[in-house]
Amino acid sequence: MEYLTGPAAPTQGSILCCQCGVAIPPNPANMCVGCLRARVDITEGIPKQGTLHFCKQCERYLQPPGTWIQCTLESRELLALCLKKIKASLSKVRLIDAGFIWTEPHSKRLKLKLTVQKEVINGAVLQQVFVVEYIVQSQMCEDCHRIEAKDFWKAVVQVRQKTLHKKTFYYLEQLILKHRLHQNTLRIKEIHDGLDFYYSSKQQAQKMVDFLQCTVPSRSKSSQRLISHDIHSNVYNYKSTFSVEIVPICKDNVVCLSPKLAQSLGNMGQICVCIRVTSTIHLIDPSTLQIAEIDGNTYWRHPFNSLFHPKQLEEFIIMDINRVQEKKKGAGAGARSNKHTLAEAWVQKTSELNTDHQYFCCTHLGHILNPGDLVLGFDLANCNLNDEFANKLNPHYIPDVILIKKSYDRTKRQRRRNWKLKELERDREGMDTDDERQYQDFLEDLEEDEAIRKNVNIYRNADVPVESDTDDDGPPRISLAEMLEDLHISQDATGGEGANMMT
């Protein structure tokens, strides 16, 4: 007989499997794992195959009954969509783990590896791993079907401006790009007087109209047309049209205000220059530097027109210029600009250099003009003003010349421009020579006006070498600190799905 010294360690006994007789640790079923799995299949009733519907045009998956959602391969959203397909069958077991098994991206097969548990004979818990295979079938969604059927839009926003220059539209285009309002549009069409934005729902079009009314002075009206009517379900199908009219005033326009409006703006002079158009019209009186802002509602109550169009700009040369002290404010006068300097100048047309004919004028550009500089302006002395308010003005209060902006070498500016802008993808016949000239005018306005530049995303152009920004004699330039890096992600580097995720 052997005696054990020290405490005896407890040992677990073994039993024989009631089916095959193999020694196993005790369990409530008294069976080995092999026999238990042979007799009980906890995945019975769970489908091992399923179907997913995928739209090739918009790359979305169908979530029954009628919702289409955007999912990338092996994403959490796609996993939830697959599990919903077998949700009723999984209610009888406990889901422990779920994940994708890698398949070829173009195989139209998705494999889902599931781990489930279930209580079986006499309270024993059995865990099992199995694979569910989904076949991806192509099905066009309703939105893409309407696009293919050329009946894709439910609402259109027609933006119009009755001017010869498109500066306001170029500025509006950059605002739309910055705030990503173009992502929900089905189509953008450019026509002679403006742009048409097409949408799949009236709510998206209304959102665009609200944005336009907050960013540019405008007014809008809407209408709708009945397309179809189901008398059984009392469902009406309408197409809505929103018409947005932007005020017909652009930057660098010379305007003549009505006497009532000029008085309400602090006894301002009626002949003014538009220096900027944002959510309001910014005006300055070149003879006093008095400034004022006019919103859309005020403009439509007291409308006024531009006295000249941009093609009537003439080139002058500064013969002599004198900065003057601020004139004494009259009774009830409004605010004056701190960014401009009042000056008196003698100018001569470059086309009349062989004569002695000179013009005297007051200008708000005294801070950038020097004798010998070239400047663009309008000749009021030798023109016929066909305007309701200008014709009633005393000729003594109408200046001979109004200077608008300093003239620089455009070719040199284009060559040194190391930045660029993005454009909306839209249907258009092509840019003619006049459109290209107007676009260059807008780019020059961005270089000269910092206030407008803050609302625009400007990207650095890597194709143009970087030069020093300390050229005081040259035209205004945009500093590198104000530019953004233009990020391009190629699908070859990340794959099609990866590129979609990163954009």
Side-chain angles (χ1 to χ4, degrees), residues 13 33 43-44 230 233 243 254 260 265 269 314 365 388 391 398:
V33 175
T43 66
E44 185 178 3
D230 188 349
S233 59
S243 178
V254 177
K260 185 176 180 180
L265 297 176
E314 298 189 56
L365 303 177
E388 176 186 1
N391 293 335
I398 299 179

Side-chain angles (χ1 to χ4, degrees), residues 269-466:
Q270 290 183 242
I271 301 292
C272 298
V273 177
C274 177
I275 56 175
R276 192 181 302 117
V277 176
T278 55
S279 57
T280 57
I281 304 173
H282 298 254
L283 299 178
I284 187 170
D285 184 352
S287 60
T288 62
L289 296 188
Q290 188 171 335
I291 56 176
E293 295 184 16
I294 300 176
D295 58 11
N297 294 330
T298 304
Y299 175 84
W300 297 118
R301 287 198 305 267
H302 305 282
F304 51 87
N305 298 314
S306 174
L307 300 182
F308 301 92
H309 55 79
K311 292 183 179 180
Q312 292 177 290
L313 278 171
E314 298 189 56
E315 190 176 57
F316 295 85
I317 184 170
I318 303 294
M319 307 304 294
D320 190 18
I321 186 169
N322 295 316
R323 279 77 176 175
V324 299
Q325 299 296 328
E326 288 190 6
K327 295 182 180 179
K328 185 178 179 181
K329 286 187 177 182
R336 291 182 177 177
S337 173
N338 296 324
K339 297 182 179 179
H340 299 84
T341 301
L342 186 62
E344 295 177 345
W346 285 95
V347 298
Q348 186 176 14
K349 290 184 181 180
T350 55
S351 59
E352 299 177 352
L353 289 179
N354 55 346
T355 66
D356 295 333
H357 193 189
Q358 295 185 5
Y359 301 90
F360 176 79
C361 63
C362 291
T363 179
H364 59 291
L365 303 177
H367 57 297
I368 58 174
L369 294 181
N370 295 295
D373 287 345
L374 296 178
V375 62
L376 298 177
F378 293 110
D379 181 7
L380 280 72
N382 301 313
C383 69
N384 294 323
L385 295 179
N386 187 15
D387 184 80
E388 176 186 1
F389 306 119
N391 293 335
K392 298 178 182 179
L393 270 179
N394 187 337
H396 178 71
Y397 295 109
I398 299 179
D400 293 339
V401 171
I402 293 183
L403 303 181
I404 300 300
K405 60 181 179 179
K406 189 175 179 179
S407 178
Y408 299 98
D409 185 2
R410 171 165 289 185
T411 304
K412 184 179 179 181
R413 296 185 76 165
Q414 293 180 7
R415 187 174 63 251
R416 299 174 59 184
R417 187 170 292 142
N418 59 345
W419 55 274
K420 59 184 178 179
L421 301 176
K422 292 188 176 181
E423 297 184 12
L424 288 173
E425 295 182 3
R426 55 187 184 269
D427 300 337
R428 60 183 178 185
E429 298 177 357
M431 293 181 66
D432 55 18
T433 306
D434 191 44
D435 290 345
E436 180 63 29
R437 181 186 61 82
Q438 294 181 15
Y439 188 68
Q440 292 299 326
D441 289 343
F442 172 69
L443 297 183
E444 293 174 3
D445 290 343
L446 287 181
E447 292 174 336
E448 297 170 5
D449 194 340
E450 184 180 357
I452 296 181
R453 213 158 55 225
K454 292 179 180 179
N455 301 326
V456 176
N457 283 342
I458 298 173
Y459 299 91
R460 191 171 73 85
N461 189 357
D463 298 334
V464 180
V466 178

Side-chain angles (χ1 to χ4, degrees), residues 17-20 24 27 29-44 114-118 120-121 124-130:
C17 174
C18 64
Q19 294 292 323
C20 61
I24 59 172
N27 61 64
N30 296 328
M31 290 186 193
C32 64
V33 175
C35 295
L36 192 59
R37 286 182 175 173
R39 292 193 58 185
V40 180
D41 182 14
I42 64 174
T43 66
E44 185 178 3
L114 302 179
T115 304
V116 295
Q117 287 182 353
K118 186 179 181 180
V120 291
I121 304 173
V125 178
L126 183 63
Q127 180 172 306
Q128 193 168 341
V129 179
F130 66 103

Side-chain angles (χ1 to χ4, degrees), residues 170-294:
Y170 292 135
Y171 173 68
L172 186 60
E173 176 185 14
Q174 296 305 317
L175 290 179
I176 293 174
L177 286 169
K178 182 173 184 177
H179 295 280
R180 302 180 181 271
L181 282 179
H182 63 292
Q183 294 182 338
N184 294 327
T185 56
L186 301 175
R187 179 189 178 195
I188 302 176
K189 182 180 179 182
E190 181 177 346
I191 62 172
H192 177 65
D193 288 335
L195 296 171
D196 289 347
F197 298 88
Y198 294 89
Y199 294 91
S200 59
S201 67
K202 184 178 179 181
Q203 290 76 13
Q204 293 175 346
Q206 184 64 55
K207 182 179 179 181
M208 182 64 169
V209 173
D210 296 339
F211 172 78
L212 293 175
Q213 291 180 336
C214 294
T215 52
V216 289
S218 59
R219 62 180 176 181
S220 65
K221 58 182 179 180
S222 62
S223 63
Q224 58 185 11
R225 177 164 56 96
L226 180 64
I227 303 301
S228 61
H229 172 213
D230 188 349
I231 60 175
H232 301 290
S233 59
N234 202 27
V235 174
Y236 292 84
N237 183 19
Y238 289 101
K239 281 192 174 182
S240 303
T241 301
F242 295 87
S243 178
V244 180
E245 183 181 359
I246 303 175
V247 295
I249 304 297
C250 292
K251 185 180 183 297
D252 297 337
N253 283 165
V254 177
V255 300
C256 184
L257 308 179
S258 65
K260 185 176 180 180
L261 178 59
Q263 184 180 9
S264 67
L265 297 176
N267 292 326
M268 193 172 185
Q270 290 183 242
I271 301 292
C272 298
V273 177
C274 177
I275 56 175
R276 192 181 302 117
V277 176
T278 55
S279 57
T280 57
I281 304 173
H282 298 254
L283 299 178
I284 187 170
D285 184 352
S287 60
T288 62
L289 296 188
Q290 188 171 335
I291 56 176
E293 295 184 16
I294 300 176

Side-chain angles (χ1 to χ4, degrees), residues 90-124:
L90 290 175
S91 61
K92 301 178 182 178
V93 296
R94 184 194 308 167
L95 181 63
I96 301 300
D97 188 25
F100 285 102
I101 300 177
W102 186 86
T103 56
E104 289 287 345
H106 305 291
S107 65
K108 299 296 182 182
R109 297 291 187 275
L110 294 176
K111 292 185 178 181
L112 203 61
K113 181 180 178 182
L114 302 179
T115 304
V116 295
Q117 287 182 353
K118 186 179 181 180
E119 186 175 325
V120 291
I121 304 173
N122 296 329

